[in-house]
Amino acid sequence: MTDPVEPGAPANPVINVDGKAIEARPGEMIIAAAERGGVYIPRFCWHPRMKPVGMCRMCLVEVNGPRGMALMPACYVPVSDGQEIVTTSDKVKKAQDGVLEFLLINHPLDCPVCDRGGECPLQDQTFAFGPGESRFVEEKRHWQKPIPINNLVALDRERCIQCARCTRFAEEVAGDPFIDFIGRSDHTEVNTFPGESFESNFSANIVQICPVGALTSTPYRFKARPWDLEVVESTCTACAVGCRMAVQSSQDRLIRHLGIDSEPVNHGWLCDKGRFGYEAVVSEERLTQPLVRKGDELIETSWHEALKTAADGLRRVQELNGSTAVAILGGARLANEDAYAWSKLARTVLGTDNVDCQMGDGLPAEVVLGLPRATIDEVCSADVVLLVAPDIKEELPVFYLRLRAAAIDRKVALVELAPQPTALTEHAVVSLLHRPGEAAAAARKLVSAVLGRKPSSGGGVKGDEIAAAAELLAGKRVVVVLGRPSLAEPADGTTEAAAVLAANIPGLRFLSALRRGNVHGALDMGLAPGVLPGRVSLDDGRAWFQSAWGADLPGRRGLDAHAILAAAATNQVQGLVLIGANPMADFPDRTLARRGLAGVGFTVVVDTFLTDSAIHADVVLPAATYAERPGTTTNMEGRVTRLGQKVTAPGTARPDWMIATELASLLGGDLGFESIDGIATEIERVAPAYAGVNPARLAKRENRDGFVVPLAEPHQEPEPPEVAFPPQESIVDVGDVSDPMESIEVNAAEAQGETLLPRSEPDAGPVGAPESIGDLTASDGSSLAPTIPLISFAGVEPMPAPHAPDAYSLRLVTSRSLYDAGALVQHSESLKPLATVTRIRACARDLSRLAVRPGDLVRVSSSRAALVLEAALDDRVPRGSAVIDFNQPGDGAADLVDVNAQVTDVRIENVKRPSARKASDG
């Protein structure tokens, strides 16, 4: 399939390869055009996702030029119309023989013990294109083997053929140039800099793209042979990017993850956490049997007893305290079908709307679901990307690669609005570093400048910086990447900033930067207060779902995670179900989480490990993971893709949907499905945004990368906003009922009646997609949900400005890093050592003012607690702020954060000697 040619545009060039006419793309290299036309040209250094270098010369072909046919590297010569290429001539064959003969001069013949044996391009192309024998009989060179270049990757230098794939990936794609060529002549080798390791979140990608066995992954080394492995395509659930990957197993045990080149998502790359997170699945610490509390201990028992105990406990809470005393937390790590089952159980059997898949560390569901949405491709093709988000490299790593490439290769302008620098700061055209808790103030000043007012400093941002950012934003196609820049402050400031931007910049679209693997799918399935499956509100969807489900729904909106834990702490929530959730680690305020869990009368935990939150539960039920059950997941852009079941769950662990179904039955309810396909069919039928989404459609070849939902826009005419632009020079404080302009709906893209950023081909949905949801029919022939308006974000109440800290306090900023104290990292033997020691970082001026030197032990105190941590110098941290990475091993940021405060202030005092790490407990 070739790209369509616009009227009046020059036709695509046509080349002749071995007598076969192939239509190429303008500027395309011969090697890529030939491959699309069915002619394979051997190669080593060429990679479609990196710039050509023409180093290995394996791709030499004859090309007709001004002087007749001449040997040229197919990876380095662009196509031209009428070009004649020969790939099978005697001259080409002789060149290929010579290249392979030279590559094998020093290459060790250790294929029987090499991890690459059986899937080695050098091995394959030697058989297919090599001379069959060598004229070189000298002794091969010998080096120490292997040498570690970091904790995850080992290097056998004598196998290297110097194709530079690894060094180019490190510099071009990852931006981590910590591996390079050293030495000269026959002593040239790939290595890290002396005394340094290859510190990168993406280091193991060089193992997958290495065309020989020079680079191998330590966890996989000597574990299996390719012919021993079984493989299934699946989706990574380590974060919300939803990278496509191949899951490989041997003897019913996960062995390896490999990246799949998905054009709209990950381009073949995986972060190291996603690549090696399978080790947690095969951990010996996995829960394998149900546990029930008997006295002070959790005792292994049968599923029947465990489920009966869980049902009896929840029923007792309902009878004594009512359905509003029951709550469900978690679900962001489940498949869509699992999340739907728990959502239905909560509303129809438990009778509660107290459900939340987020742990108080995300954004309100109405913000994520209701703002005009963008896809990853649309972000990377926009004119300007406004980042109101955490460090993307740490929380959504492969999306960082896409953004970095967009900034460097496509010249997309990045504008950053954040309380601290991130990995993208060096690529941002303008970086607006605001004071913690003052994102909304900075956004107002930015909008003011965009609308033509004289900019002034806002939230600590200088006026000239705001003016520069406003100049970039004015009249451009803008997409906002929206997330929580800091967990040390509530989501209100970020939400208000988004509302102000959306109400005043026409055509603005948003891409959610929430972190957890399937948090967007869980929100779509209704695991949030006031939200029902299919992105409809409880009020708008009540009549339809009561009819479809055959049960009454809760009469009012329930509590979110913060409110649930606060209610539990005062004994108002007495029954709690945790599904893949660990509030003790994930909730920003550990003091409140601890009090909440202690105040609950009866707790049921469904998880894969015995977490800090599960230790004190009454019933613990072992759950299956992503590789142990089928289903679908929804990524940050709303792309639905399939999960591939590859192995069986350990012991008697079960999929979540099955647990929810059996628990509902014991509680006297009936969820109405008996299989995962039955759930998928019901979701298609009742959830408006998922109309037309079914396993058969996802199984089609053209949909192997999934598709963005909804498949078509629903039948609803958006109400135009009361005011498109504020009169005079005022800025809309969206949702402020006291404002004379009243409330303005934040639905800019729909209000304009057009889509600013056209979707790229991969996002267009399946061929023949219907024009509207109303035209769709469910896969089982039943009718779909009627026209129900999808959730639209209507704004928020403006927040008062946070108080100024005293002279001895700093404002705390905390966000996540890739390697933390979470279950996936801590139960993966290769990743666990990468989690860092908790430190507090501040700039030199603040440390000096507080008489603290780098490396000193300091007492860090807040209204919640006091800890003793090591101080570290980081001049990237703005003055007046202190940074602690969230959820690192041991005590840390969660012990200090007060979620009831607009910002968390901390005091730093030098201590003479280490003391107990926790001095008080607020």
Side-chain angles (χ1 to χ4, degrees):
M1 181 176 178
T2 57
D3 293 336
V5 179
E6 298 181 3
N12 289 337
V14 176
I15 61 176
N16 186 297
V17 181
D18 296 337
K20 180 180 181 181
I22 296 174
E23 186 175 354
R25 296 165 181 165
E28 191 174 23
M29 298 300 161
I30 291 174
I31 193 170
E35 186 167 2
R36 283 193 305 102
V39 179
Y40 179 81
I41 299 173
R43 79 292 300 269
F44 292 116
C45 68
W46 161 258
H47 192 282
R49 296 296 182 185
M50 292 187 284
K51 297 174 183 176
V53 290
M55 291 182 66
C56 71
R57 301 290 162 162
M58 188 64 205
C59 66
L60 287 172
V61 294
E62 285 196 274
V63 181
N64 190 15
R67 299 183 180 181
M69 301 297 286
L71 286 174
M72 296 185 184
C75 75
Y76 209 70
V77 178
V79 297
S80 60
D81 194 41
Q83 203 172 43
E84 292 186 21
I85 298 130
V86 178
T87 70
T88 57
S89 68
D90 291 340
K91 188 181 293 186
V92 170
K93 181 66 172 64
K94 184 176 180 181
Q96 292 170 347
D97 285 352
V99 169
L100 285 167
E101 191 176 11
F102 273 98
L103 288 179
L104 294 171
I105 291 175
N106 276 301
H107 193 86
L109 301 180
D110 58 356
C111 299
V113 297
C114 177
D115 275 345
R116 206 67 158 129
E119 57 182 8
C120 175
L122 177 60
Q123 193 178 59
D124 294 340
Q125 292 184 100
T126 298
F127 281 114
F129 303 99
E133 61 182 40
S134 175
R135 291 167 290 178
F136 297 94
V137 295
E138 291 80 9
E139 175 72 13
K140 296 178 181 293
R141 65 186 174 198
H142 300 281
W143 272 324
Q144 175 190 350
K145 58 178 294 182
I147 59 172
I149 63 172
N150 64 18
N151 285 5
L152 302 171
V153 180
L155 170 64
D156 289 275
R157 291 169 291 176
E158 72 278 14
R159 294 177 185 165
C160 178
I161 61 172
Q162 299 174 15
C163 67
R165 275 190 172 193
C166 56
T167 61
R168 287 151 56 211
F169 170 84
E171 183 173 7
E172 292 178 21
V173 180
D176 299 324
F178 305 130
I179 183 172
D180 208 339
F181 285 110
I182 61 176
R184 295 175 64 85
S185 187
D186 64 325
H187 295 289
T188 302
E189 61 178 277
V190 167
N191 212 324
T192 57
F193 295 99
E196 302 289 337
S197 65
F198 184 23
E199 297 299 328
S200 174
N201 292 348
F202 314 97
S203 65
N205 285 288
I206 65 177
V207 175
Q208 183 170 338
I209 64 175
C210 178
V212 293
L215 292 160
T216 55
S217 67
T218 305
Y220 176 75
R221 194 173 175 89
F222 303 137
K223 289 289 176 61
R225 285 300 194 184
W227 51 84
D228 296 327
L229 300 178
E230 298 176 347
V231 62
V232 67
E233 287 193 18
S234 190
T235 304
C236 181
T237 58
C239 77
V241 177
C243 299
R244 295 294 291 162
M245 66 178 183
V247 178
Q248 297 182 325
S249 70
S250 177
Q251 299 180 342
D252 202 33
R253 184 180 177 88
L254 292 187
I255 295 293
R256 184 169 64 171
H257 287 169
L258 294 175
I260 291 176
D261 196 326
S262 173
E263 176 63 34
V265 185
N266 60 310
H267 290 182
W269 314 125
L270 293 176
C271 72
D272 289 346
K273 184 176 180 179
R275 189 177 294 273
F276 299 114
Y278 69 85
E279 290 184 322
V281 178
V282 300
S283 170
E284 297 297 326
E285 298 175 345
R286 280 283 300 275
L287 288 170
T288 59
Q289 298 291 334
L291 305 174
V292 171
R293 182 165 298 282
K294 295 183 179 179
D296 294 332
E297 297 184 14
L298 286 170
I299 306 299
E300 285 192 2
T301 187
S302 66
W303 270 98
H304 174 74
E305 181 184 354
L307 286 169
K308 186 177 184 303
T309 304
D312 291 344
L314 293 173
R315 184 185 298 110
R316 188 163 52 252
V317 171
Q318 284 181 295
E319 292 171 351
L320 294 176
N321 303 284
S323 295
T324 56
V326 181
I328 294 180
L329 279 178
R333 296 184 176 95
L334 309 183
N336 289 337
E337 292 76 10
D338 299 316
Y340 178 85
W342 282 109
S343 177
K344 187 175 181 180
L345 179 144
R347 273 55 180 254
T348 64
V349 180
L350 295 176
T352 182
D353 193 54
N354 300 333
V355 294
D356 198 349
C357 62
Q358 302 185 78
M359 290 292 99
D361 55 357
L363 296 170
E366 290 79 5
V367 176
V368 180
L369 301 178
L371 285 169
R373 298 170 77 117
T375 66
I376 294 174
D377 275 345
E378 289 168 352
V379 170
C380 296
S381 61
D383 295 327
V384 182
V385 175
L386 179 58
L387 299 166
V388 187
D391 193 333
I392 300 296
K393 187 175 184 180
E394 297 296 328
E395 301 205 15
L396 300 163
V398 174
F399 179 48
Y400 162 81
L401 297 183
R402 295 290 308 272
L403 279 174
R404 183 180 181 276
I408 294 175
D409 300 332
R410 298 186 180 182
K411 307 304 179 185
V412 173
L414 301 184
V415 176
E416 195 173 44
L417 185 66
Q420 64 168 329
T422 69
L424 284 170
T425 299
E426 64 177 308
H427 304 293
V429 179
V430 181
S431 186
L432 307 177
L433 298 182
H434 60 79
R435 287 188 293 263
E438 300 187 32
R444 284 194 188 91
K445 295 300 181 183
L446 178 59
V447 166
S448 175
V450 172
L451 297 178
R453 296 177 62 189
K454 183 178 179 180
S456 59
S457 60
V461 183
K462 297 178 181 178
D464 57 346
E465 294 175 342
I466 288 178
E471 185 178 354
L472 288 169
L473 293 172
K476 302 292 180 58
R477 298 180 305 162
V478 183
V479 176
V480 178
V481 177
L482 186 68
R484 282 282 289 279
S486 174
L487 304 182
E489 58 192 72
D492 299 357
T494 303
T495 301
E496 186 181 351
V500 170
L501 291 167
N504 293 281
I505 301 179
L508 202 64
R509 301 182 73 179
F510 293 79
L511 180 65
S512 164
L514 300 184
R515 164 182 172 269
R516 286 192 182 85
N518 195 31
V519 62
H520 299 89
L523 291 174
D524 283 355
M525 295 300 109
L527 283 183
V531 177
L532 292 174
R535 301 180 188 171
V536 298
S537 69
L538 178 61
D539 292 334
D540 290 337
R542 184 187 308 279
W544 162 247
F545 276 92
Q546 286 185 162
S547 173
W549 284 348
D552 292 335
L553 300 187
R556 61 182 182 180
R557 178 191 176 96
L559 307 176
D560 63 8
H562 178 190
I564 287 171
L565 291 172
T570 56
N571 305 120
Q572 297 177 57
V573 168
Q574 279 295 298
L576 182 63
V577 181
L578 299 178
I579 44 178
N582 182 11
M584 288 292 291
D586 289 334
F587 191 71
D589 185 339
R590 188 171 288 150
T591 299
L592 179 57
R594 185 182 297 111
R595 291 171 179 169
L597 293 177
V600 174
F602 186 79
T603 305
V604 178
V605 171
V606 184
D607 214 323
T608 53
F609 295 97
L610 196 63
T611 64
D612 293 340
S613 300
I615 289 174
H616 305 291
D618 296 281
V619 180
V620 180
L621 304 174
T625 67
Y626 67 94
E628 298 161 350
R629 44 118 167 94
T632 59
T633 183
T634 303
N635 79 343
M636 61 194 295
E637 59 183 345
R639 180 176 301 278
V640 180
T641 53
R642 293 191 296 172
L643 294 170
Q645 180 179 359
K646 191 67 215 67
V647 295
T648 54
T652 61
R654 298 181 180 181
D656 274 82
W657 71 266
M658 192 178 295
I659 298 172
T661 302
E662 294 190 24
L663 184 59
S665 178
L666 290 172
L667 285 166
D670 183 3
L671 297 187
F673 34 73
E674 298 179 351
S675 68
I676 197 93
D677 286 341
I679 303 175
T681 299
E682 183 169 320
I683 293 172
E684 178 192 21
R685 179 172 58 84
V686 305
Y690 281 67
V693 178
N694 56 66
R697 175 166 278 158
L698 280 167
K700 291 182 179 179
R701 181 178 179 83
E702 62 265 28
N703 295 327
R704 63 179 300 184
D705 292 328
F707 40 72
V708 176
V709 294
L711 297 179
E713 293 298 322
H715 285 309
Q716 61 178 19
E717 293 297 327
E719 296 181 9
E722 296 178 22
V723 182
F725 290 94
Q728 301 175 355
E729 296 179 341
S730 63
I731 301 171
V732 181
D733 288 326
V734 180
D736 183 4
V737 294
S738 64
D739 193 298
M741 295 168 47
E742 302 179 352
S743 176
I744 292 184
E745 275 196 28
V746 183
N747 205 354
E750 293 184 2
Q752 296 297 315
E754 62 183 34
T755 301
L756 271 186
L757 302 178
R759 282 182 175 166
S760 58
E761 184 178 331
D763 293 326
V767 177
E771 295 181 356
S772 66
I773 285 180
D775 296 335
L776 291 170
T777 302
S779 55
D780 62 357
S782 60
S783 60
L784 299 177
T787 300
I788 303 175
L790 303 187
I791 288 174
S792 113
F793 176 50
V796 294
E797 292 280 344
M799 290 177 57
H803 65 275
D806 60 48
Y808 301 98
S809 297
L810 301 176
R811 286 182 177 176
L812 180 63
V813 176
T814 180
S815 58
R816 297 179 184 270
S817 57
L818 187 64
Y819 306 114
D820 56 15
L824 190 149
V825 172
Q826 292 302 306
H827 293 285
S828 299
E829 290 302 317
S830 301
L831 301 179
K832 184 177 180 179
L834 301 178
T836 59
V837 175
T838 305
R839 294 182 176 90
I840 184 166
R841 294 181 280 123
C843 68
R845 185 159 183 173
D846 283 333
L847 290 181
S848 176
R849 178 171 61 86
L850 298 171
V852 173
R853 294 173 298 179
D856 284 353
L857 290 181
V858 294
R859 185 176 186 269
V860 184
S861 57
S862 73
S863 61
R864 286 296 200 207
L867 313 175
V868 174
L869 303 175
E870 181 183 331
L873 172 64
D874 187 349
D875 276 326
R876 286 163 47 90
V877 176
R879 287 179 57 192
S881 299
V883 176
I884 302 176
D885 289 340
F886 189 78
N887 195 24
Q888 293 300 310
D891 298 328
D895 296 282
L896 299 168
V897 173
D898 180 356
V899 293
N900 297 310
Q902 286 180 274
V903 291
T904 297
D905 292 338
V906 295
R907 287 196 173 197
I908 303 177
E909 302 170 277
N910 218 327
V911 294
K912 295 182 179 179
R913 57 185 176 82
S915 59
R917 287 181 67 83
K918 181 167 289 188
S920 67
D921 187 20

